[in-house]
Amino acid sequence: MRFLVVDDSATMRRIIVNSLARIGHDDALEAGDGAAALEAFDQGGVQFIITDWNMPQMSGLDFARRVRAHPKGATVPILMVTTRSAREDILAAVDAGVNNYVLKPFTPPVLKEKIDAILTSAAAA
Amino acid sequence: MTPPTIDDAVAAFVACEPGDADARRRLREILWSVVCDRSLASEARNALADAVALLDDPAAFAPAAEASSLVLLRLHLEVAVDRLEMAAAGGATVNGSARTPTDGAPGGAAVATWFEIPGDADGALIGDFVGEAHEFLEVAEAALLRLEGAPDDAESVNDVFRAFHTIKGTSSFLGLGAIASFAHHAEDMLGRVRGGELAFTGTVPELSLRAVDQLKALIAAIPAARAGGVELSPEYAVLIAAMEDPLAVPASPATPSAEARAAAPAAAAPAPGLPEGTVKVRAEKLDRLVEMVGELVIAHGILKETPAVQDASQQELTQRVLQADKIVRELQELALGLRMVPLRGALTKLTRIVRDLAARSGKQVVFETAGEDTELDRTLVDLVADPLMHMVRNAVDHGIETPSERLAAGKPAMGTIRVEARQAGDRVLVRLRDDGRGLQRSKIIAKAIERGLITSGEGMPDAAVFELIFAPGFSTADAITDVSGRGVGMDVVRRNLLAIRGRTLIESEPGKGSVFTIELPLTLAITDGMVVRVQGERFIIPTARIRRCVRPAPEMLRTALGRGELLQQGGEVLPLLRLQRELRIPGPSADLLAGILIVAGDGHNRVALHVDELLGQQQVVAKPLGESIGRVRGLTGGAILGDGRVGLILDVDELVQASRSAAPAPPHAAPHAA
């Protein structure tokens, strides 16, 4: 399964990609901002998006909305990485079309759990 | 596999034993799925989102915090279930029904032409709504003006969206169908802008402004709509059709928004919810004012204690300070008065709950309220609403009998629940009286034994038995299936009240009914406190929680095996807690006989606190300890003392709890052993 990891921090991207490898997902593209990520998504082949929330220029929420508005983006799973979890954040994430989110810091098993949960519910839907 | 529902969430919550992180993660994922259902009432989603946020917070489930977090979680769930039920009882689902008539058949479906409000609509709530809606529309209007200059400003788009969204959600609860449906269309349009699907250009800005104006006109028409109904203007249907497909409407520079807006206010008339001469002030500003006045009172108190002011030779200075003192006090009273609001809203909301519950349980209940004009600090009104709701539910579910039971007992088939509020000194009393079967002593005892709270009820006074209702764990588990007990029990009611220094009292007579009393402080801003010294530290004990102070004598003190120290006085035995030990204050262990014992707490939840010295009474402005410190066991907050130093405010209830864990015997056994 091909992942697209979007984060303005190269370190954070590395952490996520490494975590993915640890749980058996070794096919991951990276993008440093929302625009580049949209471009990468547009190329096709991306089956799962993991994006940071707080990015300059295009926030993770805006990015998620753009993906959802994209002709191929209606159902691709989007997992948001964030540091905050409050009522407003949660509702905003849902409204932007995010499938789930995971709080920093997380461990590879937690990441796996989140990914599996999304894939299971996507399969059921 | 169908998506999980709120019922699944409740079931998953019940499975959450303390310490079970896996169960909590499962619950979290279920809640997330439920939150993702955007057709749910927004209040319910808010509460569910709160629950998710809480579960995401690792600090909330550290061993020390877990118990209270689980309670909080239960409360969030309870609120969510409640709001969902209210939305269901309100007839239409919030999003669904408004959407159906127009979806797929633009312009062809039935758009309302008549605006009428059902006779049983809640007038007080509608009044609240009118005020709130005006606020939102003001915000939306300002944002629309900003957007004229900067069409890409997402924040402003959000403001407009939020206004329509909130108005839609609230009005759909209130029988304001025409408003809900209109706001829904406006929200949809802005939602598309917000989602990047539609640009804020062309006809969209103008349609948005006209929608704001139309909503104002609709709100202004509420009185007429209640009085028998009004015809909706053609603009109503025109805008709905246009907002469904803004791109199909040609941009019309011939009808500039400025003109439409200039004409609109005349039709919209002044805000009907506000009496003339009323000024609206943002709540935060008011809170800030009250806080600053509190600080002023304290600063002035410090000034008064300055030696130079107290110096007898400085008569002129002393007198001027006293003069200022009078003004400061009056200012304080005025400021606190500003934040007072009547309880009416909180009481009226109950009417509906009683009606729904009675209908569902096949009981007949008259619901009466009195003292709706009793005023309470704004911050407290919200906090009292939940406990009241719980008590009313309990009264309908457990208090009032079925009509046949009542007739058999020689009572009228129709039960009565009466809620009355009144002020008594600096406290407000809210009393809930029902004429039902009363609390059943034997049932309570049986349940408490089953729950492992007591081993036997023999010899327990009625008051102590009734207290058991408030014990954590008394009304949970199997109550999950019945209407009132959905997991949140009376212990939560009491905890919430204690958090705001409120109290609960129960009186009950078999066959005649029960009286629950909630006692609240008028305001949270200022507390009367007793300043005490423990070693070099100073603490404040809220005066309202102090029963008496005792100079200990050797014959009063006992040490019970495995139960720690006890105070025995006047036929009563109380657990004794040395604050120095409890709060881990360094220093030589003080001689019990040299200090003072302060008996604090209520009813059967009392404890004798050992302190070194009483330093006097003082009004303090309580402040939370701050996020960096977080919650500390035994303390509720801090306050600045007369000499400018900080004193910590003791949490009497937690100290009572602490004294019990030191004494593993059942709580009531000790006080009545003698």
Side-chain angles (χ1 to χ4, degrees), chain B residues 239-261:
Chain B
L239 276 176
I240 284 186
M243 290 189 299
E244 278 188 323
D245 197 356
L247 299 177
V249 186
S252 51
T255 53
S257 55
E259 264 180 45
R261 296 164 48 63

Side-chain angles (χ1 to χ4, degrees), chain B residues 591-608:
Chain B
D591 177 9
L592 268 188
L593 296 175
I596 298 270
L597 292 173
I598 297 177
V599 177
D602 303 294
H604 297 269
N605 300 308
R606 284 192 291 177
V607 63

Side-chain angles (χ1 to χ4, degrees), chain B residues 205-220:
Chain B
E206 187 209 333
L207 286 175
S208 306
L209 280 168
R210 281 165 68 189
V212 168
D213 289 336
Q214 178 63 27
L215 279 171
K216 282 187 181 169
L218 286 169
I219 289 163

Side-chain angles (χ1 to χ4, degrees), chain A residues 62 65-66 69 85-87 90-91 93-103 110 113-114 117 120-121 124-125, chain B residues 1 22 25 28-29 32 35-38 42 45-50 52-54 56-58 161 194-197:
Chain A
D62 287 334
R65 285 191 202 102
R66 300 275 189 98
S85 175
R87 175 201 286 184
I90 290 166
L91 295 177
V94 172
D95 285 344
V98 168
N99 293 76
N100 209 329
Y101 65 80
V102 60
L103 254 77
V110 168
E113 203 174 272
K114 294 280 174 182
T120 314
S121 61
Chain B
M1 190 173 101
D22 288 337
R25 275 205 299 277
R28 191 272 181 205
E29 295 309 323
W32 169 266
V35 172
C36 284
D37 180 356
R38 291 154 76 174
S42 61
R45 289 184 71 215
N46 285 346
L48 290 167
D50 285 340
V52 173
L54 183 67
D56 277 337
D57 180 3
F161 175 85
R194 202 169 75 144
E197 192 186 325

Side-chain angles (χ1 to χ4, degrees), chain B residues 505-649:
Chain B
L505 298 168
I506 309 179
E507 297 150 80
S508 184
E509 205 176 323
K512 296 254 176 81
S514 314
V515 182
F516 291 83
T517 307
I518 302 178
E519 197 188 306
L520 296 162
L522 265 182
T523 173
L524 289 181
I526 294 183
T527 316
D528 272 315
M530 174 76 78
V531 186
V532 301
R533 181 178 66 80
V534 181
Q535 297 289 344
E537 305 285 330
R538 283 183 288 177
F539 296 94
I540 300 152
I541 304 176
T543 312
R545 308 305 307 279
I546 297 180
R547 301 276 78 86
R548 61 178 192 271
C549 297
V550 184
R551 170 82 60 190
E555 66 273 15
M556 298 177 186
L557 305 174
R558 297 260 181 288
T559 307
L561 198 63
R563 283 213 230 127
E565 292 169 313
L566 302 169
L567 167 70
Q568 180 174 19
Q569 199 200 14
E572 181 182 56
V573 182
L574 295 174
L576 190 158
L577 219 56
R578 296 178 186 231
L579 282 182
Q580 185 193 351
R581 208 174 283 169
E582 188 59 28
L583 302 169
R584 301 208 176 84
I585 298 162
S589 187
D591 177 9
L592 268 188
L593 296 175
I596 298 270
L597 292 173
I598 297 177
V599 177
D602 303 294
H604 297 269
N605 300 308
R606 284 192 291 177
V607 63
L609 303 171
H610 179 258
V611 303
D612 293 332
E613 193 184 352
L614 299 182
L615 296 175
Q617 269 184 288
Q618 190 189 328
Q619 285 201 323
V620 294
V621 179
K623 291 178 174 302
L625 288 174
E627 283 185 12
S628 52
I629 303 180
R631 264 191 63 71
V632 178
R633 191 179 149 96
L635 301 175
T636 55
I640 299 171
L641 296 174
D643 61 359
R645 287 173 54 185
V646 172
L648 295 168
I649 303 172

